Amino acid sequence: MEINNMNARARKQLVAGGALGAMLIGTVALSSAATADPGDTTDVEVSVSIESTVEPGNLAFSVAADSTSLSEVDSTVEGTREFTGTLPTVTVTDTRTAEEVPEGAAWAVLGQASDFTGTEGQEAIGAENLGWTPVLEDGGETGLVEAGEPVDPALEGDDDDFNNVGLENQELLVSTFDSAEVNPEGSWSANADLTLRTVEDVEGGDYTSTVTLSLFE
């Protein structure tokens, strides 16, 4: 069929088809030109990579600040000096679907301190002298998210108190025993009152310690 003998509708279809062909060729890399005789057919593979906009759910935690400071207060234990402060808020979030939460799973945030080292070479103050009292800021409405028990500094004075071990080892800040049950609430937060207790004749100067927080499930 000659183009001159085509009706107007057929000519419009040919023009439209040509425009579409140009668009396809512009989006596909071909190693060689495809040729075909009249009546033959040829295939053009069109591929596209589409990035997902749906983020997978996960269990994570964040800390409101990367530092805090302690200030001296009147000591509550004779023969010691006492310094107090607050751990920055720790927030646990769970964006997983109910199906993504492992059956029987539980999560917990633990904390452990390093020794306080002096900036001028003072003798270190052991991590066992830093204690905390965890405080639940937002535990949701299930009642299944709880703050950990208080952990006293080693110099608290009661030798019979098994909690006066400080943060020398990992201690519980906040936890739940049922990840699946609390999952729909999405987030929870806690902090802790910090207490450093030293001997009265502790050497003066600036000291620093690092509290390492870890989330486990």
Side-chain angles (χ1 to χ4, degrees), residues 17-105:
L20 178 59
M23 290 173 62
L24 290 175
I25 292 173
T27 59
V28 178
L30 302 177
S31 58
S32 61
T35 60
D37 295 327
D40 291 344
T41 62
T42 186
D43 297 329
V44 176
E45 180 180 306
V46 179
S47 62
V48 62
S49 178
I50 300 177
E51 183 177 350
S52 174
T53 58
V54 179
E55 294 292 335
N58 67 342
L59 178 68
F61 80 111
S62 60
V63 185
D66 60 5
S67 65
T68 189
S69 59
L70 307 180
S71 301
E72 186 165 13
V73 298
D74 292 336
S75 180
T76 57
V77 175
E78 186 177 354
T80 69
R81 295 178 68 177
E82 185 174 330
F83 307 81
T84 63
T86 303
L87 184 76
T89 296
V90 176
T91 300
V92 177
T93 57
D94 192 349
T95 58
R96 299 172 295 183
T97 64
E99 292 75 18
E100 291 176 316
V101 180
E103 184 178 356

Side-chain angles (χ1 to χ4, degrees), residues 114-192:
S114 65
D115 292 343
F116 283 82
T117 57
T119 58
E120 300 174 5
Q122 304 98 310
E123 182 178 351
I125 301 172
E128 71 276 7
N129 295 298
L130 177 67
W132 70 9
T133 300
V135 177
L136 190 62
E137 292 185 357
D138 181 2
E141 298 180 357
T142 64
L144 300 179
V145 175
E146 300 179 346
E149 295 293 325
V151 179
D152 296 327
L155 293 175
E156 196 64 26
D158 186 354
D159 293 335
D160 296 328
D161 185 359
F162 66 90
N163 275 337
N164 61 342
V165 293
L167 300 180
E168 185 174 23
N169 296 305
Q170 287 186 328
E171 301 291 343
L172 178 63
L173 175 68
V174 62
S175 68
T176 183
F177 60 83
D178 195 334
S179 296
E181 186 69 20
V182 303
N183 163 267
E185 294 179 333
S187 69
W188 312 267
S189 58
N191 63 22

Side-chain angles (χ1 to χ4, degrees), residues 191-206:
N191 63 22
D193 296 328
L194 302 174
T195 300
L196 174 66
R197 194 174 300 285
T198 71
V199 295
E200 282 188 309
D201 61 352
V202 62
E203 190 174 357
D206 295 329

